[in-house]
Structure formats: C-alpha cells, structure tokens
Amino acid sequence: DSLIYWADNLPPGALLSLSEQPEEVSSALAALRGQRLTALVVSVIVAGLIGFLVASLITTRVKRLAAAAGELAEGHLDKPLDAGGRDEIGDLGRTLDSMRIALAETFDALSSERDRLSAVFESLAEAVIVVDPNGDVRFANPASADLVNEDGSVVEALRPWIRRATHRGSAQSDHVAIGERTFAIGARYLPAERSALLVVRDRTEELRRDQAEREFVSNAAHELRNPIAGMSGAIEVLRSGAKDDPEAREHFLDRLAIDVDRVSRLTKALLTLARMEAIGEGEAEVVSVDLAVDEAVAAIEAPDGVSLDTDVESDLVAGADPVLLRQVLIGLLTNAFKHT
C-alpha cells in the first residue's frame, strides 16, 4: 500500500509502486488451477455416467413399451402392462394399458357377436353367400355347399344375379331353376365391400308340396262331384215316382248309400290333411307303437283266408300324432288285406 500526501506548495505528480507476488500465493493459485482442471474432468466423467445411466433407463422403459405395443398388435391382450414411474413415459405406459383393456373388452364383444352370427348362419336353412363381382366366394354358410364349386366360386347359374345386383343395387326372383331344383334368390350389392350378398332358398319341396295339394284338391273336387251328382240324380228319380216302386227304391237307396260312403271317405281324407297341416312337424308326441298297432288291428277285420300276425317290441316309441299314426296303420292294413 502506498500513501500519497498532497501539499499546496509542491507541483502535481504521481507515485508508482511495483511489488512482486509472494511465492506462497503463487503456488497456492497454481494448485487451485490444477485441482480445477481435475474437478472439471471428474465432473464431465460423472455427468457422462449419469447421462448414460439415465439414457439406459429411459431406453429400457421405451423398449419395454415398444415390446408391449408389439404384443398388443399381435393380439395378446391378457398380459397387464407395468407402466412404472410418474413421468411422461409412465403416463404413456398407463395410456397403453388402458388401451389394452379397452381393446380386450371390444374384442370380447366382437367375438361374442361373431359366435352368435356364426351360430345363426349355421342354423339357417337358406344359403347365405358373399361373393365378389368375379364370382369368388368370400363367405358361405353350410347350407350353400351345393352352390359353391370346389375352386371357391359360385355355380354358373348365380352369376347373372350377381351382375344384376352389381349394376342395379339389388335383384330377386322366386323361381330360378338350378339343375333339378328350384330356388328363390335375393341379391344385394354391398358398396363398402365391393361384393354382393346372396340369400338363396330351396323351394323345390315347397313347390312340390303345393303342387301335390293343388292336385289333391282338384282330385277331391272331382271325386266329390261324381257322388254328389249321383245322389242328386237318385233323389230326383225317387221324387219323380220311383219311391213307389219297391225294387227301384231299393236300387236308388243302395246307390245313395254308396255315394254317401264315398263322400264320407273324402271328407275324412280332407280332415286328415287339415289336421296334418295344423299339427306340423314340431307338434309330435311320444307315441307307443305297440299300442298304435293294437288299435289299428282292432279297428279292421281281416278277410276270409287271410291271417294277421304282429311282432312289435313292447318298448318301441315314435315321435308322431297318435290319431294320424293310427290312420296310417289302418290304411296300410286295408291295402294289405285288399291286395293279398
């Protein structure tokens, strides 16, 4: 330190003082500079190690999330995801786990719906086919087995209806012949799938039954016309005076009895048909065949020279209507007695 004293009678000036740094201070500063460099190197190494550990931890967690996302993509939704941590990666993991739970619930609902639809399609008597414009089948239920070729394409008879549905949006017909069978076809174009939906119903047995019923009604009307005409004619003859002739009266009365019997048999046949239509296939009862055979045998008498033996297991049963089953057996016995 320097002290400068000013005096009024002295000219202005400056005092320069030069001093050297002590050796102890210089060595201390040099030591500090060396330790600072060492501390810097150590700090860099420690920071690098910490950064590597943090990066490794983050990478491990990210890889775990990526693996979990891959499991979700493959459809493995039963394994819970361990999110861990309260940071952004943990939030991402919890979001993925919530998505996994939602996907699992959605897939369960879709699987249940698919199973129900599959059961419905398998139980349908109608053929349900989804086919592209080229005729290649995308979906077909078991009832459509006869309408799909071995190469996975529909039969040629269905292709015109696919083209019509594709161009018009829909097409249908109640009478389409395919081979020896007759089908009802309904086709609708599905724009979202670029395919056509075909619903095909086999009407062969239905049309055959309708034809048989029409023929039966026609024949019954024809059969009823003759005895009714005979009865009407016999009554007119009797009213005109034949009733006073014993021989003529007996003749026409016999004719009336025969015609009445024919009308009675036809009426019973019509009632039987009506009963069959009313009962249907779903109203069958468990009937003892042994009892039905005994009732049928007791209801009809065997003609002279014909013997009847029965051999029926005592516990034999059948699903049928008891009245109709007895009528069938009586009809069989009547024909057998008549033609033996």
Side-chain angles (χ1 to χ4, degrees):
D1 295 334
S2 301
L3 296 178
I4 301 176
Y5 297 95
W6 298 91
D8 294 336
N9 54 356
L10 294 176
L15 176 62
L16 177 61
S17 175
L18 179 62
S19 63
E20 294 182 358
Q21 191 175 50
E23 184 176 353
E24 293 82 0
V25 175
S26 299
S27 60
L29 292 176
L32 286 176
R33 283 195 295 269
Q35 292 175 1
R36 184 174 58 184
L37 181 60
T38 303
L40 177 62
V41 173
V42 172
S43 300
V44 170
I45 294 175
V46 171
L49 290 175
I50 294 175
F52 176 77
L53 293 176
V54 172
S56 299
L57 180 61
I58 293 175
T59 302
T60 302
R61 296 175 64 190
V62 171
K63 286 183 178 179
R64 186 168 65 247
L65 291 179
E71 294 287 333
L72 294 180
E74 293 178 0
H76 303 296
L77 306 176
D78 53 346
K79 184 178 179 181
L81 179 62
D82 184 14
R86 294 295 178 181
D87 54 0
E88 290 78 3
I89 297 178
D91 294 339
L92 178 60
R94 283 184 287 274
T95 302
L96 286 176
D97 195 57
S98 299
M99 184 178 66
R100 176 191 65 83
I101 296 174
L103 286 175
E105 294 175 352
T106 302
F107 285 168
D108 289 341
L110 290 176
S111 298
S112 178
E113 186 69 21
R114 179 199 59 196
D115 294 339
R116 284 196 294 269
L117 288 176
S118 178
V120 169
F121 284 131
E122 289 181 359
S123 62
L124 284 177
E126 293 84 359
V128 179
I129 307 173
V130 177
V131 57
D132 62 19
N134 296 325
D136 295 328
V137 175
R138 296 181 180 177
F139 170 82
N141 66 337
S144 59
D146 295 336
L147 302 175
V148 179
N149 298 320
E150 294 181 357
D151 59 354
S153 61
V154 295
V155 295
E156 188 63 29
L158 295 178
R159 293 181 181 271
W161 300 98
I162 299 173
R163 290 192 291 269
R164 293 177 187 176
T166 302
H167 295 150
R168 303 176 185 175
S170 63
Q172 60 182 6
S173 176
D174 292 332
H175 196 281
V176 178
I178 301 178
E180 298 180 355
R181 308 188 70 82
T182 303
F183 296 86
I185 296 178
R188 182 175 297 276
Y189 184 64
L190 306 176
E193 299 184 13
R194 295 184 179 179
S195 59
L197 171 65
L198 300 178
V199 179
V200 185
R201 179 168 57 90
D202 191 346
R203 299 190 62 208
T204 304
E205 296 300 327
E206 176 188 347
L207 296 176
R208 187 177 301 168
R209 184 171 60 252
D210 292 343
Q211 179 65 23
E213 290 179 357
R214 286 194 295 269
E215 291 179 357
F216 178 82
V217 172
S218 177
N219 294 334
H222 178 72
E223 292 294 331
L224 283 172
R225 187 183 302 113
N226 291 335
I228 289 176
M231 292 168 62
S232 178
I235 291 173
E236 291 294 332
V237 172
L238 288 173
R239 284 179 176 177
S240 64
K243 62 181 179 180
D244 298 328
D245 184 354
E247 184 177 352
R249 183 174 64 245
E250 290 299 325
H251 171 71
F252 285 108
L253 287 176
D254 289 341
R255 286 186 55 185
L256 284 173
I258 293 173
D259 290 338
V260 167
D261 182 64
R262 291 177 62 185
V263 172
S264 177
R265 284 188 285 105
L266 288 172
T267 302
K268 288 182 179 179
L270 290 173
L271 290 175
T272 299
L273 178 62
R275 181 178 178 83
M276 292 172 61
E277 291 293 334
I279 291 176
E281 297 181 358
E283 301 294 335
E285 303 176 9
V286 178
V287 181
S288 172
V289 177
D290 187 16
L291 179 60
V293 170
D294 291 341
E295 292 177 352
V297 171
I300 187 170
E301 183 179 357
D304 295 337
V306 178
S307 62
L308 173 64
D309 297 326
T310 61
D311 182 10
V312 184
E313 297 180 6
S314 59
D315 58 348
L316 183 62
V317 296
D321 178 76
V323 176
L324 294 178
L325 178 59
R326 183 167 59 251
Q327 291 182 2
V328 169
L329 293 175
I330 291 174
L332 291 173
L333 287 176
T334 302
N335 290 335
F337 288 153
K338 184 183 298 184
H339 299 289
T340 296

